Amino acid sequence: MNILVCNAGSTSLKFRLFEMPEEKELSVKKYERVTDYETGIRDYLKTLPENVKIDAVGFKTVLSKDHYGVHLIDDAVIKGMEDYMVVAPAHNTFYLKAINTFKKIMPDMPLVGVFETNFHRTIPEVNYLYPLPYEWYENYGIRKYGYHGASHSYVAGVLNEKLGKHYKAVSCHLGGSSSLSAIVDGKCFDTSFGMSLQCGVPQGNRCGDFDPYLVFFMHKYAGMSYEEIETELQKKSGFLGISGVGNDLRDILKAAACGNERAVLAFKMYAKEVTGYIGRFAAMMGGLDAVAFTGGIGENSEAVRNYVMNHIRFMGDVKMYVIPANEEIVVARETYKLMK
């Protein structure tokens, strides 16, 4: 069975075609700055040999109301994605465009959503609920869902091979968008993202954790509208907001090396928050055997890894792994499993 995995961005499309269950990669292609999804998808399909048949298309979808695992994408799944657009506006917008384009081009093709929330469904209630009126959870589904599930799932699979059946670890998916997951015996125990992708550690443009009452303060005291505050929190915070340099850690480290104090501050705030979540998760799990780093920053920033590992040295013999991200193979596996 040939599974095509489509990874949709704001102006980019990435395709990887796998022969399953052998996991043989038949094709990989990435288009940057595509003018529209239909052009990009049609261009990719033209590159495939005539004898290569696609049996299903899998998507690393983010969030759909009432659909948190792996699902054939039908009208109910699409409506769920539209309903939760307010929670993940950028991500759901891109994937809905890609999905609707495939429905137009290949109307009979099975489309599968491997939702980022799937890996986090094992989080216990005590960890996924917020200290809010319980009715908010009952009536509106307000709880921690978690994201980067394909990445953390892949890391857990690698750790299963390296550490065996029983272990306690933290997976650090660090990049322009970052999250950490506590993993016990291969299953998610807790995660830093919440109902939205706006919380947790600082992001490239997004703020991460902060005092929620600052929203009301800035509205009432500074006279900002809620729309203006939302834009500042989503697009002008994180690395960019603190450093004033940009949203890329590589640029921040270069500026820090030249003595830019705000760049130094941005790096330390980020690394401190990553370390803090590891410490919190270790305490909740009752120990820590390993820390795994993945994602653009996790794999490539020795500075971040050194900061973190030096600060948790007091925990004793904690193994460190750098695991190259491979989210697409998780999507292919889950899509194949559902189709089978």
Side-chain angles (χ1 to χ4, degrees):
M1 184 182 295
N2 293 336
I3 305 296
L4 176 64
V5 177
C6 176
N7 197 336
S10 57
T11 60
S12 66
L13 280 169
K14 183 178 180 181
F15 301 98
R16 291 180 69 182
L17 182 62
F18 295 93
E19 182 181 340
M20 301 296 289
E22 296 82 2
E23 299 189 359
K24 177 183 177 183
E25 191 159 1
L26 302 177
S27 171
V28 59
K29 189 82 173 180
K30 185 171 185 179
Y31 295 89
E32 299 283 3
R33 298 183 179 85
V34 290
T35 55
D36 64 89
Y37 283 2
E38 183 170 346
T39 299
I41 292 170
R42 288 189 184 276
D43 285 349
Y44 171 73
L45 294 175
K46 290 177 184 176
T47 68
L48 297 178
E50 291 186 5
N51 63 337
V52 174
K53 175 179 175 288
I54 298 172
D55 296 293
V57 181
F59 299 88
K60 189 172 65 70
T61 40
V62 177
L63 182 64
S64 175
K65 183 181 179 182
D66 299 326
H67 303 88
Y68 305 114
V70 182
H71 301 275
L72 278 171
I73 299 175
D74 56 14
D75 291 342
V77 172
I78 290 175
K79 185 180 185 305
M81 293 176 69
E82 293 170 344
D83 287 346
Y84 271 1
M85 186 73 76
V86 66
V87 181
H91 303 78
N92 275 10
T93 297
F94 306 147
Y95 274 104
L96 282 171
K97 285 182 179 179
I99 288 165
N100 287 327
T101 302
F102 269 102
K103 286 171 71 71
K104 174 184 176 182
I105 295 174
M106 310 171 79
D108 297 323
M109 178 63 61
L111 308 179
V112 177
V114 181
F115 284 91
E116 289 286 86
T117 48
N118 183 43
F119 178 67
H120 306 294
R121 291 188 298 161
T122 55
I123 297 176
E125 184 180 44
V126 68
N127 290 345
Y128 70 63
L129 283 181
Y130 292 116
L132 298 168
Y134 196 78
E135 292 75 18
W136 288 24
Y137 167 61
E138 291 180 311
N139 297 335
Y140 308 109
I142 292 179
R143 52 157 288 181
K144 179 184 292 187
Y145 289 115
Y147 302 96
H148 294 151
S151 178
H152 292 304
S153 176
Y154 181 75
V155 168
V158 174
L159 292 178
N160 290 345
E161 296 175 359
K162 294 181 178 295
L163 300 175
K165 293 182 178 179
H166 302 293
Y167 64 88
K168 299 168 182 176
V170 176
S171 168
C172 305
H173 176 104
L174 307 181
S177 179
S178 301
S179 72
L180 289 79
S181 284
I183 300 174
V184 177
D185 300 341
K187 296 181 179 180
C188 185
F189 179 74
D190 203 354
T191 191
S192 60
F193 269 147
M195 181 170 179
S196 78
L197 296 91
Q198 188 65 41
C199 57
V201 301
Q203 315 290 326
N205 300 317
R206 304 194 302 269
C207 60
D209 293 338
F210 78 109
D211 183 345
Y213 257 71
L214 293 178
V215 172
F216 307 113
F217 177 85
M218 294 303 290
H219 176 66
K220 296 177 181 179
Y221 189 81
M224 294 179 66
S225 69
Y226 287 122
E227 290 76 17
E228 290 172 329
I229 296 171
E230 183 179 23
T231 298
E232 297 271 303
L233 295 179
Q234 287 186 351
K235 299 181 179 180
K236 299 181 180 180
S237 299
F239 285 152
L240 176 61
I242 295 298
S243 72
V245 172
N247 62 2
D248 192 315
L249 183 63
R250 291 169 295 187
D251 296 330
I252 292 170
L253 289 175
K254 289 178 184 177
C258 296
N260 186 314
E261 293 183 359
R262 281 179 56 182
V264 173
L265 180 62
F267 167 76
K268 287 185 176 180
M269 288 178 65
Y270 177 73
K272 174 205 65 149
E273 289 298 311
V274 172
T275 306
Y277 265 100
I278 292 173
R280 174 183 174 178
F281 289 159
M284 292 169 59
M285 293 186 293
L288 185 64
D289 299 307
V291 175
F293 294 92
T294 190
I297 293 174
E299 296 169 36
N300 298 303
S301 179
E302 187 176 0
V304 170
R305 296 196 302 268
N306 286 344
Y307 183 102
V308 170
M309 298 308 295
N310 285 336
H311 280 78
I312 66 170
R313 192 181 302 163
F314 72 93
M315 294 185 187
D317 184 21
V318 177
K319 297 180 175 66
M320 185 193 80
Y321 297 101
V322 177
I323 300 175
N326 195 345
E327 296 168 293
E328 288 87 0
I329 192 60
V330 174
V331 175
R333 289 169 181 167
E334 294 292 343
T335 300
Y336 171 73
K337 190 186 303 182
L338 183 68
M339 293 300 299
K340 186 180 178 183

